[in-house]
Amino acid sequence: MPIEQIKDIVDYGVIGLLIFLSFITFAFAIERILFYRGIKVTDYSNKTALELDISKRLPTIASIGSNAPYIGLLGTVLAIIITFYIIGDQQDTINPGEIMKHLALALKATAAGLIVAIPATVIYNALLTKVDTLLAQWEIAQDEK
């Protein structure tokens, strides 16, 4: 298999995975927001049942937020390894500008990982705040009974 084809597989694989994770994050966030809008905490007599319902899918969003940078870093490392292979294979004909171009493009995977991780972490923290608010509302409703 030619090295350029391997490079494309690494690039598209890592970026594709990060795009997929980003889609999951936003889909789960939208689902949670819609769920939170329609929830009535007074319908719950058990706090644990409420916590289970309002905490669904939050660990997935947190995992994506914490692991996306590592996936991006993995893509960068693999792309740099491939770049070093290309340099070694073409050491007599490759110019420094070409090396820099390959190394700069390798860093796009790290950037993509951060682009996925930062919103996922912000979304997770915002949803966690809403969970805390709903739990407090449930406790107030229980005290009023």
Side-chain angles (χ1 to χ4, degrees):
M1 185 179 294
I3 195 71
E4 287 298 321
Q5 196 174 15
I6 294 171
K7 186 175 180 286
D8 288 342
I9 290 170
V10 168
D11 282 348
Y12 293 125
V14 169
I15 300 297
L17 177 60
L18 288 168
I19 289 170
F20 176 70
L21 293 175
S22 181
F23 175 76
I24 289 173
T25 298
F26 284 105
F28 282 4
I30 291 167
E31 185 275 332
R32 289 285 84 195
I33 290 168
L34 294 175
F35 178 76
Y36 295 157
R37 282 187 179 176
I39 195 169
K40 291 184 180 13
V41 294
T42 53
D43 291 346
Y44 289 86
S45 59
N46 186 319
K47 185 177 180 180
T48 304
L50 174 63
E51 280 185 81
L52 287 173
D53 282 351
I54 62 178
S55 297
K56 268 185 206 165
R57 297 184 178 85
L58 293 185
T60 303
I61 295 171
S63 293
I64 290 170
S66 63
N67 289 304
Y70 295 117
I71 295 168
L73 184 59
L74 175 64
T76 297
V77 168
L78 293 174
I80 289 173
I81 289 170
I82 292 169
T83 299
F84 285 150
Y85 179 83
I86 292 169
I87 292 169
D89 195 40
Q90 304 172 0
Q91 61 186 342
D92 296 333
T93 60
I94 197 161
N95 65 36
E98 195 68 22
I99 294 169
M100 291 301 118
K101 185 178 98 176
H102 282 288
L103 292 176
L105 289 175
L107 293 172
K108 75 177 175 254
T110 298
L114 292 172
I115 288 170
V116 172
I118 292 169
T121 303
V122 169
I123 289 168
Y124 172 74
N125 287 329
L127 293 174
L128 203 57
T129 300
K130 184 62 176 171
V131 165
D132 291 341
T133 302
L134 289 170
L135 289 172
Q137 288 173 349
W138 182 85
E139 288 179 5
I140 290 169
Q142 292 304 307
D143 289 345
E144 291 175 354
K145 285 185 180 181

